[in-house]
Amino acid sequence: MNNDTQVELQGVRQQVLANTQVLQNLIPPTVSYTTEGNVLVIGPEDLARLAAARLANMGKVAILANEAITSQDEDHLEKVMTSAEDVESFYNKLVEIKGFLGQFQVKVDSGSETDTAVIDLSLVAIRKAHFDLILDLSQSPCVNLEMLPPGYFYVGQDTAKLDDAINQLPDLIGQFDKPRYVKVNSELCAHTRNGIDGCNRCLNFCPADAIQSIDKMIEIDPYLCHGAGSCTNACPTGAISYDLPTPQALHSYLHKLVTRYSEKAQVAPVILFHDEANGAALITNELPGSVIPVALEEITVASMDHWMSSLAWGACQVLVLNTAATAPTLTQMLEGDLKLANDILDEMGQPQRISLIDESTIGDLSALLEASSSWPVIVPGEFAATTKRSTLYAAIDHLNEQAASVESCLSQSNLPYGKVSVNKDSCTLCLSCVSTCPTQALTDGGDKPALNFVEQDCVQCGLCEKACPENAISLTSQMNFDKAERQACKTLKEEEPFECIRCGTPFATKSMVQRMQDVIGGHSAFSANTERLKMCSDCRVKDMFEDILQDPEKQLR
């Protein structure tokens, strides 16, 4: 592509980006931090004292000396002894640190061989219920998280990082607002139902440890959340969704970018997702004109439904820029999702249109763009972005129609897509599975005893399998490319209703009544008259009272 064409395409890109905005809540929900600037400095006492001496403009300062001094040099020791003379050092063993900016709880042991109690260091050191900020000079972080809590500065023994932290600390006195990045809809959540454990996907991918299961409910601490988006990416039902922007707003933005660029440039664009901090610094005006950069809080905010829908709306390729600053957990998630996405494209006969690139690649995308120039052009699909799963399947179906229109199934373990199978001989149609299904993939037959299933709605959470008292349910993890079969409501089992032998009212299934006779027919309550098991509850009670009236001595016995 010659220079004139590149300049023209870059101009089109600039125009499209300038005229397309993400629709967002003008007053987004936020959380507030309040601090007085009280700092705990952790590390070797000599380094901690030298650092504390530079915090004169902060609130109260205390030192937790958790490591040996770094040098025995006399000049160094003399300088240390005269530094921060009014700051007290504590030598207790650190037990744990919890909290965030303005609310750090630091637990240490009592220091006594006879007393094993754990004490709050802030109460002893600064007469406050908490520390506001922590400056950690230890050889390794005292908080072992990939994304550290706001207000926690780990600098180790790097003087440049220390200087930067000391410059930032005074700015963290007062009140600060931060976006509440994600929200949880517990009604859609597949984590638990009726006391049964199900999906745990979000708990496995939070690099900030901001997600917990509390009283069988998924809760996200907005004060610890960095907006990585890994939880929203991993959630198969959409119960956890990003709020800034919302999934629908991001889909709408991508649709407008792709369609407007395609119309103006008559070229299929390449969507490049990058994070707003480190990735944005690598994006320059020299970026090839067909590449449209899309900035996100973190690159995991965009998930597979965004990748696939971008392609289905007419993008030629999707690139995700991963930098060295990306948390390892997020990189692991991206690599897994990327493999699955390209496996799906392979299965339908599409080129592998989704790539994870790094800092060494962003400067020269010519090889990637050259390879994609020979790929078949995707005719843009006409579908609206609704729920996460519906949008993903609509995009996959369109891409499949543009390729080989396969009707096969891609089988892989641990996918949030697949089918439910039922052992008809064991199933009694008790419908415990229906009551636990969070997505209504499993439904009853209404007036007729039946168990129905829609594969497209199944998230493979396993709740139905665990809820089944007869162990009659099994799961198969797969991506089904047969749209009609996947969307069809299939009857997994049905029976004629069993009618009460006394009043004729349908009240159960034949298999359920037979199961009751097998399990409790020998119980003393029914041994005299097993026929009661074939009665509805009202008739059963009437029959028992009639027996008592005929022979009152039975009541005494």
Side-chain angles (χ1 to χ4, degrees):
M1 190 176 294
N2 60 49
N3 289 337
D4 291 341
T5 304
Q6 278 292 351
V7 171
E8 182 180 347
L9 292 179
Q10 288 169 348
V12 173
R13 178 182 66 204
Q14 185 176 357
Q15 183 182 358
V16 170
L17 286 172
N19 294 328
T20 309
Q21 303 295 325
V22 179
L23 298 178
Q24 299 188 91
N25 187 350
L26 296 178
I27 309 177
T30 59
V31 294
S32 297
Y33 301 92
T34 302
T35 85
E36 298 175 351
N38 300 320
V39 185
L40 174 65
V41 184
I42 305 176
E45 185 177 6
D46 54 338
L47 300 184
R49 283 204 166 277
L50 293 173
R54 301 171 62 183
L55 301 175
N57 53 351
M58 299 301 294
K60 296 182 178 180
V61 180
I63 293 172
L64 178 61
N66 66 336
E67 294 177 5
I69 61 174
T70 60
S71 174
Q72 295 290 340
D73 180 77
E74 291 185 5
D75 292 338
H76 174 74
L77 293 176
E78 183 178 352
K79 183 179 179 181
V80 168
M81 294 303 294
T82 57
S83 297
E85 294 179 298
D86 57 337
V87 177
E88 189 173 359
S89 291
F90 295 85
Y91 306 92
N92 308 65
K93 181 181 178 181
L94 177 65
V95 176
E96 68 173 358
I97 297 175
K98 287 187 176 181
F100 43 81
L101 177 65
Q103 293 286 336
F104 282 109
Q105 303 289 327
V106 180
K107 305 283 189 181
V108 297
D109 67 10
S110 64
S112 170
E113 293 182 0
T114 58
D115 185 1
T116 59
V118 174
I119 60 176
D120 287 326
L121 183 60
S122 60
L123 295 175
V124 177
I126 61 172
R127 306 298 188 269
K128 296 281 185 178
H130 48 73
F131 293 103
D132 297 317
L133 298 149
I134 293 180
L135 180 61
D136 188 355
L137 289 79
S138 308
Q139 290 186 5
S140 59
C142 294
V143 175
N144 188 24
L145 292 173
E146 293 175 12
M147 287 186 168
L148 297 170
Y152 180 96
F153 291 82
Y154 175 69
V155 300
Q157 297 176 15
D158 187 319
T159 55
K161 289 182 179 180
L162 175 61
D163 292 342
D164 184 51
I166 288 177
N167 287 333
Q168 291 186 54
L169 287 172
D171 295 332
L172 294 175
I173 300 176
Q175 182 170 318
F176 308 91
D177 292 333
K178 183 188 78 170
R180 187 184 289 265
Y181 292 106
V182 298
K183 57 185 177 182
V184 181
N185 182 347
S186 298
E187 293 183 1
L188 295 178
C189 183
H191 178 52
T192 58
R193 279 288 194 282
N194 302 337
I196 302 171
D197 293 333
C199 175
N200 291 314
R201 292 178 183 273
C202 61
L203 294 170
N204 298 329
F205 286 105
C206 182
D209 200 26
I211 307 178
Q212 293 185 33
S213 174
I214 300 177
D215 296 329
K216 300 292 184 177
M217 300 283 284
I218 291 294
E219 293 191 10
I220 298 177
D221 189 333
Y223 293 94
L224 292 176
C225 176
H226 283 260
S230 51
C231 55
T232 66
N233 197 315
C235 180
T237 66
I240 305 178
S241 60
Y242 215 78
D243 207 32
L244 201 69
T246 64
Q248 293 77 16
L250 182 54
H251 275 299
S252 176
Y253 178 65
L254 292 169
H255 181 254
K256 291 175 182 177
L257 283 181
V258 173
T259 54
R260 289 175 180 177
Y261 182 91
S262 299
E263 290 171 2
K264 290 181 178 294
Q266 296 299 301
V267 172
V270 174
I271 295 297
L272 170 62
F273 291 110
H274 65 87
D275 70 287
E276 291 180 340
N278 302 282
L282 301 173
I283 305 298
T284 68
N285 292 331
E286 302 305 315
L287 197 68
S290 61
V291 179
I292 304 178
V294 177
L296 305 168
E297 185 73 24
E298 291 285 347
I299 48 179
T300 39
V301 171
S303 50
M304 196 186 305
D305 53 307
H306 296 102
W307 301 348
M308 292 294 191
S309 57
S310 296
L311 295 174
W313 285 324
C316 174
Q317 193 174 6
V318 170
L319 306 178
V320 183
L321 175 57
N322 190 27
T323 70
T326 303
T329 294
L330 303 186
T331 299
Q332 178 187 358
M333 164 177 271
L334 280 169
E335 290 172 344
D337 285 353
L338 181 77
K339 182 182 183 305
L340 173 59
N342 281 320
D343 285 347
I344 290 172
L345 293 172
D346 277 342
E347 185 73 18
M348 65 176 70
Q350 285 278 7
Q352 293 195 355
R353 296 179 181 267
I354 306 172
S355 301
L356 188 65
I357 63 173
D358 57 25
E359 299 169 51
S360 64
T361 310
I362 188 63
D364 185 8
L365 296 174
S366 56
L368 280 172
L369 300 183
E370 179 65 28
S372 64
S373 64
S374 61
W375 293 347
V377 175
I378 297 172
V379 177
E382 296 294 332
F383 60 91
T386 52
T387 65
K388 179 176 182 176
R389 293 178 71 81
S390 296
T391 304
L392 174 64
Y393 276 123
I396 288 175
D397 289 338
H398 179 74
L399 293 170
N400 189 20
E401 291 167 3
Q402 295 284 299
S405 292
V406 299
E407 295 181 350
S408 57
C409 293
L410 173 65
S411 297
Q412 289 188 11
S413 61
N414 200 34
L415 295 182
Y417 322 102
K419 67 178 182 178
V420 167
S421 300
V422 170
N423 184 329
K424 293 182 180 180
D425 294 334
S426 301
C427 175
T428 63
L429 287 179
C430 69
L431 302 181
S432 296
C433 53
V434 172
S435 66
T436 58
C437 182
T439 62
Q440 294 187 318
L442 290 167
T443 54
D444 61 33
D447 296 334
K448 186 176 182 180
L451 176 61
N452 299 321
F453 174 67
V454 178
E455 182 174 347
Q456 180 155 312
D457 297 331
C458 179
V459 297
Q460 297 284 293
C461 61
L463 286 169
C464 59
E465 187 177 29
K466 294 177 182 177
C468 181
E470 310 301 337
N471 295 320
I473 291 179
S474 59
L475 306 179
T476 302
S477 177
Q478 65 181 27
M479 170 61 72
N480 190 347
F481 291 93
D482 189 331
K483 178 180 177 181
E485 181 182 2
R486 194 184 67 232
Q487 294 181 342
C489 182
K490 303 175 185 177
T491 299
L492 300 182
K493 178 169 182 181
E494 62 181 336
E495 285 187 23
E496 291 298 322
F498 186 90
E499 297 176 351
C500 174
I501 60 174
R502 182 165 178 170
C503 70
T505 301
F507 74 96
T509 63
K510 292 180 180 179
S511 58
M512 186 178 295
V513 172
Q514 183 60 51
R515 181 64 172 159
M516 286 192 296
Q517 288 182 307
D518 293 342
V519 174
I520 63 174
H523 192 278
S524 58
F526 297 95
S527 59
N529 190 352
T530 58
E531 292 298 293
R532 285 187 185 137
L533 293 173
K534 301 178 182 179
M535 300 178 188
C536 66
S537 58
D538 289 341
C539 291
R540 193 177 302 147
V541 172
K542 289 178 183 178
D543 191 65
M544 292 173 67
F545 272 106
E546 287 172 0
D547 272 4
I548 293 173
L549 290 175
Q550 291 174 6
D551 185 3
E553 293 297 322
K554 285 186 177 181
Q555 185 174 16
L556 297 176
R557 293 198 298 270

